[in-house]
Amino acid sequence: MTPLALARYFLLLGTTGFGGPIALVGYMQRDLVERRAWFTAEEFSRGLALAQISPGPLAAQLAAYLGWLRGGVSGAAFTAVAFVAPSLAMVLVIAQLYVRFGTLSWLQPAFAAVGAAVVGVLVRSALKLARMTLSRDGGLWAIATANTIGVLTLRRESLIILVIGGAAALADRIPTMRGAMTMAPLFLTRPLSMSLALSQFVLLPQLWQLFHYFAVAGIVVFGSGLAIIPYLFHGVVEQHHWLTSRQFLDAIAVSMITPGPVVITVAFIGYLVAGTAGALISALAVFLPAWLLVVAFAPHFERIRRNATVRRFVDGIIAGATGAIAGAAILLSARILTTVEAVVIAIVVVLAISTKPRVPEAIAIVGAGFVGVALG
């Protein structure tokens, strides 16, 4: 197996892989470990662990790590680009059509129904993440609840609160704090040097604003791409006023009905703000920090992986992100679910994607759009 063959695989996965990060990871394990034996189970588990304990979109980070294992830095670059390129191309096409036809009156009921469906997906995701990441740990539930309240109060996600959540999770691991301090240079100096290097780019003011904002956004994503939504909602809708609430939900819907990473939604947002250049800059910004972290941490990962304190700190941050998604779902519900029809659509979507036989999120969202047109 060559790095080029691996890149071809991720090009195919990026074109056909629906279902979110957990599904994408499942496809990788099935194809690369079980069927083709390109990686051992141990190699795959190391990559998955690295993706779980560091910020960034889970599936994209795992793809970059697997590329790094077989081809070093260039291998990580090939697999990352191959994985993201198909969904980026699809989003660019959809964004152009959206700008051209999105204002047509007959499409508005479809977009309204899609927004309600996205709220339903967010509610389901918050419940699923809570069950998967919080388990029966009372401390993590407390952190998640506090973050939900924080998002509802501040109307945005705070990176500081996430870090505090990680520190709170360490409260019962004080004897191992010295170990965490030995890891601090890796977790703190790498992102700092990275941000200083990025600041040397000379971009047009609007493009630089997009690049800076989405680069920071890429650092707050832990595990699920949906973790970026609370952060984006505040910045994109309420702070910079780049999009309306409805356009923001349409952007999320586009990312869910296209294959590949959910965070590709930033390309749709970037296109609405600054055209094709804005889409490309936004996509580069959100994925670049995660890619740099993979390349920087991979050689040292075994030492990081064995440190229980680091893992507990990350558990606390993930719990906070879970609570933030719940808070965002509540905020968006208040804005979007203003009619009986919207409430019914959201409830039906939650049930459809939760019960067996389970309907994929993408199908549920597209179906809601058709229902909206019919009702309109």
Side-chain angles (χ1 to χ4, degrees), residues 112-124 333 336-337 339-354 364 368:
V114 164
V118 170
V119 169
V121 171
L122 285 178
V123 170
R124 165 60 178 159
S333 296
I336 302 302
L337 305 184
T339 66
V340 174
E341 291 83 357
V343 172
V344 171
I345 289 173
I347 293 173
V348 170
V349 166
V350 171
L351 295 175
I353 64 178
S354 303

Side-chain angles (χ1 to χ4, degrees), residues 157-182:
E157 183 179 26
S158 170
L159 184 58
I160 294 177
I161 294 178
L162 283 178
V163 174
I164 291 174
L170 286 174
D172 60 346
R173 304 290 178 90
I174 298 299
T176 59
M177 283 295 287
R178 182 176 298 178
M181 296 304 294
T182 63

Side-chain angles (χ1 to χ4, degrees), residues 3 6-7 10-11 63-68 74-84:
L6 188 61
F10 278 107
L11 185 66
Y65 178 81
L66 295 176
W68 177 85
S74 60
F78 285 142
T79 55
V81 172
F83 185 45
V84 173

Side-chain angles (χ1 to χ4, degrees), residues 1 10 48 65 116 149 157 185-186 201 233 237-238 295 303:
M1 187 273 298
F10 278 107
L48 182 57
Y65 178 81
I149 295 172
E157 183 179 26
L186 281 175
F201 283 101
F233 178 75
V237 177
E238 298 184 335
V295 172
R303 183 158 56 97

Side-chain angles (χ1 to χ4, degrees), residues 5-148:
L6 188 61
R8 284 199 298 266
Y9 167 77
F10 278 107
L11 185 66
L12 178 63
L13 182 63
T15 306
T16 61
F18 289 91
I22 303 302
L24 291 170
V25 169
Y27 299 147
M28 292 182 209
Q29 183 175 18
R30 179 197 63 191
D31 298 335
L32 300 178
V33 178
E34 299 172 5
R35 292 183 177 176
R36 306 185 188 190
W38 285 358
F39 297 92
T40 66
E42 175 62 23
E43 288 174 329
F44 190 86
S45 66
R46 283 203 306 267
L48 182 57
L50 172 60
Q52 287 174 324
I53 71 169
S54 56
L58 180 69
Q61 282 190 303
L62 179 56
Y65 178 81
L66 295 176
W68 177 85
L69 276 182
R70 293 297 179 262
V73 174
S74 60
F78 285 142
T79 55
V81 172
F83 185 45
V84 173
S87 57
L88 174 60
M90 294 178 202
V91 167
L92 282 173
V93 172
I94 295 173
Q96 293 176 39
L97 295 174
Y98 181 87
V99 170
R100 184 172 181 180
F101 300 111
T103 56
L104 296 181
S105 58
W106 67 273
L107 279 179
Q108 293 309 304
F111 290 134
V114 164
V118 170
V119 169
V121 171
L122 285 178
V123 170
R124 165 60 178 159
S125 298
L127 295 173
K128 184 177 179 180
L129 280 172
R131 187 175 66 253
M132 292 175 57
T133 62
L134 306 182
S135 187
R136 296 183 179 180
D137 190 316
L140 296 183
W141 275 100
I143 292 170
T145 302
N147 218 286
T148 299

